[in-house]
Amino acid sequence: MTELAGWTHAYSGKVRDLYVDMGVTDLEHARRVLMVASDRVSAFDYVLEPGIPGKGELLTTLSLWWFDQLEGIPNHLLSGMTEDATGQPATEIPDAVQGRAMLARTLDMFPIECVVRGYLVGSGWLEYQQSQTVCGIPLPTGLQNGDRLPEPIYTPAFKAPMGAHDENISFERTVELVGPEIAESLRTLSLEIFRRASAIAAKRGLILADTKFEFGAHHDTGLITLADEVLTSDSSRYWDAATYAAGGPNRLDSFDKQIVRNWLSANWDKTGTPPELPAEIVAQTAARYRELIERLTGGGTD
Ligand code: ATP
Ligand code: MG
């Protein structure tokens, strides 16, 4: 992990490294956090070798672009501000992580992953085949893998502490966790952002199949604020609308590490350490990430 002058490393997830101002003991006491996206790629909960060159930058660019698109939704970004949350002149993002770092206001994060699904796929499809529900929400009969849902559904998960698996929870459970008003706001905001983002993606020939948001409360005002990464290929499934419409085996190929997952499934029995990714798989994955960002941010007007 990169050493950054003036910053202390506070936490690393599978993909991102978080830093707080030097002298601050931990994230809880920090007014701001530097979130650095690495090139690490994970699949089936393993961090793989090697990373995908440029991935960290692409994820950061995508998040920043989406925050900008979502005008009116309060977000955690401090980058670009001339003063930081403490009223001091904002420190520039260190050169070593320029392009793949966001400077954000530290929030009291709600322990909820706000998942929205517009399509039946993945774990949702598995559950549907068993019980005709997704996260307990009843759905019409006769849906197929990858079908569009009658309307997007909010299926929250409990954000498990470090390393543990997130667990799907009911809306009622989110009420117990954060109270009725906040639970209601998280659902409303998540569905609203999903609808807006889907419309923007659709104009670029992309389907936003599902995604996950995280929110936190502003330390001083309590304002519910959109945090973390947003609508990236790590947090979302995007499909190509034309490929989807044409049907066929690739119609649900997502713009993320699908290529990595497919290769691993074919070349690894999921015991022991995963094998190193071949150069062509790395290159194809990097190209796929770039394609998404070009499609989304490259053209089209709103
Ligand atoms: P993993 O992705 O490896 O399963 P993770 O989600 O904990 O684990 P990252 O996504 O790399 O790891 O780390 C980002 C962390 O920062 C998350 O725990 C997220 O909740 C938290 N976070 C995001 N935005 C803010 C913010 N503005 N203030 C405080 N914490 C934040
Ligand atoms: Mg995360």
Side-chain angles (χ1 to χ4, degrees):
M1 189 186 337
T2 324
E3 289 275 332
L4 300 174
W7 297 91
T8 307
H9 175 247
Y11 173 77
S12 284
K14 280 190 287 292
V15 173
R16 283 171 301 157
D17 304 313
L18 271 48
Y19 298 79
V20 295
D21 282 289
M22 191 77 109
V24 177
T25 47
D26 53 45
L27 205 52
E28 257 133 70
H29 294 92
R31 297 298 304 252
R32 54 182 201 164
V33 54
L34 184 69
M35 306 188 66
V36 180
S38 72
D39 289 348
R40 296 193 288 273
V41 61
S42 70
F44 309 117
D45 268 345
Y46 282 87
V47 176
L48 306 168
E49 292 292 341
I52 308 296
K55 175 174 181 276
E57 196 166 332
L58 293 173
L59 291 186
T60 302
T61 308
L62 263 187
S63 279
L64 293 175
W65 186 81
W66 275 116
F67 279 127
D68 198 46
Q69 297 293 307
L70 298 170
E71 211 190 312
I73 307 283
N75 68 57
H76 69 162
L77 287 185
L78 291 173
S79 333
M81 291 174 81
T82 49
E83 288 188 349
D84 68 22
T86 64
Q88 301 296 309
T91 306
E92 290 301 309
I93 290 176
D95 285 345
V97 294
Q98 202 51 258
R100 56 187 182 95
M102 292 189 296
L103 198 52
R105 183 188 300 279
T106 315
L107 303 170
D108 293 323
M109 298 298 289
F110 302 118
I112 296 172
E113 307 235 315
C114 299
V115 178
V116 182
R117 301 164 197 253
Y119 287 75
L120 185 62
V121 69
S123 62
W125 166 239
L126 294 178
E127 179 184 327
Y128 177 82
Q129 292 171 93
Q130 299 290 317
S131 57
Q132 216 187 292
T133 59
V134 170
C135 300
I137 299 171
L139 291 170
T141 46
L143 295 177
Q144 297 303 316
N145 189 19
D147 276 1
R148 185 177 186 163
L149 297 173
E151 56 182 337
I153 54 172
Y154 176 64
T155 57
F158 179 67
K159 195 168 160 38
M162 286 192 206
H165 268 294
D166 300 328
E167 166 204 347
N168 288 336
I169 52 176
S170 64
F171 178 72
E172 290 68 34
R173 179 77 190 117
T174 70
V175 172
E176 286 168 20
L177 285 167
V178 297
E181 282 98 26
I182 292 174
E184 192 62 60
S185 297
L186 295 181
R187 174 166 68 184
T188 307
L189 271 169
S190 299
L191 288 167
E192 182 199 332
I193 300 169
F194 185 84
R195 279 179 211 283
R196 282 174 63 178
S198 299
I200 292 170
K203 284 192 188 149
R204 278 105 172 143
L206 295 166
I207 293 173
L208 176 62
D210 52 33
T211 194
K212 175 216 71 172
F213 305 111
E214 289 187 36
F215 297 89
H218 190 296
H219 279 176
D220 305 324
T221 64
L223 181 73
I224 298 178
T225 306
L226 183 58
D228 208 54
E229 61 180 344
V230 61
L231 295 157
T232 68
S233 32
D234 270 6
S235 67
S236 325
R237 258 196 195 91
Y238 290 95
W239 297 328
D240 182 278
T243 309
Y244 178 86
N250 301 329
R251 74 182 192 122
L252 307 183
D253 274 0
S254 51
F255 276 87
D256 64 353
K257 47 206 176 187
Q258 185 87 39
I259 296 163
V260 169
R261 281 195 220 99
N262 292 352
W263 183 85
L264 269 185
S265 298
N267 291 281
W268 182 43
D269 62 4
K270 307 221 176 100
T271 59
T273 320
E276 197 159 304
L277 301 172
E280 73 267 21
I281 295 297
V282 172
Q284 283 170 21
T285 305
R288 189 81 173 141
Y289 277 98
R290 275 199 302 278
E291 193 188 340
L292 174 66
I293 201 151
E294 274 156 24
R295 293 274 296 269
L296 267 178
T297 69
T301 43
D302 298 306

